[in-house]
Amino acid sequence: MKKILLIEDDNFKAESLETFFYNFMPDCIVEIRTNLVESIEIINTQNFDWVMVDMSIPSHPIVPGEGAPVSFLTGGLDVILELQALGRSDKCIIVTQYPEIEICGQFFHINEAAHQININFGCSIVGCIEYADNNISWKENLEALLLSL
């Protein structure tokens, strides 16, 4: 049974990815976190087979009456760096709605992003998937990537 951490603050995208995983592996366990604080907390207490991370996530959960959390465009990278600092071997896959990812102030196409993160930070990213809710190619790309692991 595979255990998956899905870090995504967009409810529609999270539900779509969760549905994909339950269709792909009906006996999997999917944990969803929507922000950096909760993601770091669960990473420090549990191991996962796959960590699916969006690069842009808010700093904290939204709490009514307490103001909006700060949105980090590279918050997903903080999650990846935390896994590296813990010496973990969870397989990380970036899932983004954008064709480019900012790394160290430069933008890289998603086909290059995993390699650039590995070079710049020594992290092990197994791939990047461009998500588009109106196109099924992300499902095909994600399935192919997961089957290759």
Side-chain angles (χ1 to χ4, degrees):
M1 178 182 326
K2 296 289 185 184
K3 192 171 176 185
I4 302 155
L5 175 59
L6 173 57
I7 303 168
E8 177 56 62
D9 64 319
D10 179 304
N11 289 338
F12 181 79
K13 185 175 163 191
E15 286 175 18
S16 184
L17 284 160
E18 183 179 33
T19 299
F20 166 85
F21 280 111
Y22 286 129
N23 288 332
F24 181 68
M25 292 176 301
D27 65 339
C28 71
I29 297 172
V30 179
E31 294 278 347
I32 300 175
R33 295 299 181 267
T34 61
N35 60 75
L36 182 58
V37 167
E38 291 175 347
S39 300
I40 297 296
E41 285 174 356
I42 197 167
I43 283 171
N44 279 284
T45 60
Q46 296 181 42
N47 291 329
F48 296 90
D49 295 291
W50 298 321
V51 176
M52 311 297 297
V53 63
D54 186 8
M55 290 302 283
S56 178
I57 56 174
S59 58
H60 295 80
I62 297 172
V63 179
E66 293 194 17
V70 176
S71 182
F72 289 125
L73 295 178
T74 57
L77 188 55
D78 290 331
V79 171
I80 294 163
L81 291 171
E82 181 73 10
L83 286 166
Q84 179 199 22
L86 294 170
R88 297 272 291 276
S89 61
D90 313 52
K91 293 176 179 72
C92 291
I93 299 171
I94 296 170
V95 181
T96 181
Q97 292 177 241
Y98 304 102
E100 294 183 324
I101 294 174
E102 183 179 358
I103 303 164
C104 297
Q106 269 189 290
F107 287 90
F108 293 93
H109 190 272
I110 60 165
N111 294 341
E112 264 188 272
H115 179 68
Q116 289 299 323
I117 290 171
N118 294 341
I119 289 172
N120 285 291
F121 301 104
C123 300
S124 181
I125 306 299
V126 296
C128 296
I129 302 294
E130 184 177 0
Y131 174 91
D133 61 323
N134 60 352
N135 186 334
I136 64 163
S137 66
W138 71 267
K139 292 178 185 180
E140 295 165 351
N141 293 337
L142 181 55
E143 184 173 335
L145 179 60
L146 294 173
L147 290 171
S148 74
L149 300 176

